[in-house]
Amino acid sequence: MQLIKTSAALGLADADGFVLFGGKSNRKHPMPTPVRAKPILKPHGVVDWEDENGKEFLRNRTGTLVWAAATSTSEAEETKA
């Protein structure tokens, strides 16, 4: 789990569009149990975060720092390479 910009979290999405979301940057540490969330890019640099049921639970800008990670370890290793 890394503290990265929301725009970078968009690149961590798996084939279904989901990433592990650990909270916003105002947290010193990620949530103990991160949730699978789908970041959806909207106009004007806005990102809506939806849970697995399709409900929006957060809206922020692409420059906002969030705790995020790839949903699988193999994807995380590919992004480091």
Side-chain angles (χ1 to χ4, degrees):
M1 186 78 41
Q2 305 171 7
L3 188 59
I4 57 175
K5 286 190 176 184
T6 302
S7 56
L10 292 168
L12 294 177
D14 62 10
D16 296 328
F18 286 95
V19 299
L20 289 177
F21 179 79
K24 289 181 14 177
S25 62
N26 59 354
R27 301 176 63 93
K28 290 186 178 183
H29 304 286
M31 294 187 295
T33 53
V35 295
R36 271 187 93 218
K38 181 185 274 188
I40 300 172
L41 184 62
K42 300 286 185 173
H44 307 292
V46 173
V47 176
D48 288 344
W49 292 86
E50 293 182 356
D51 62 14
E52 292 181 279
N53 298 324
K55 291 194 164 212
E56 179 186 323
F57 66 90
L58 178 67
R59 174 176 279 179
N60 60 10
R61 298 245 179 218
T62 54
T64 304
L65 293 172
V66 294
W67 290 98
T71 54
S72 71
T73 55
S74 61
E75 290 176 14
E77 291 171 1
E78 289 175 10
T79 53
K80 288 181 182 178

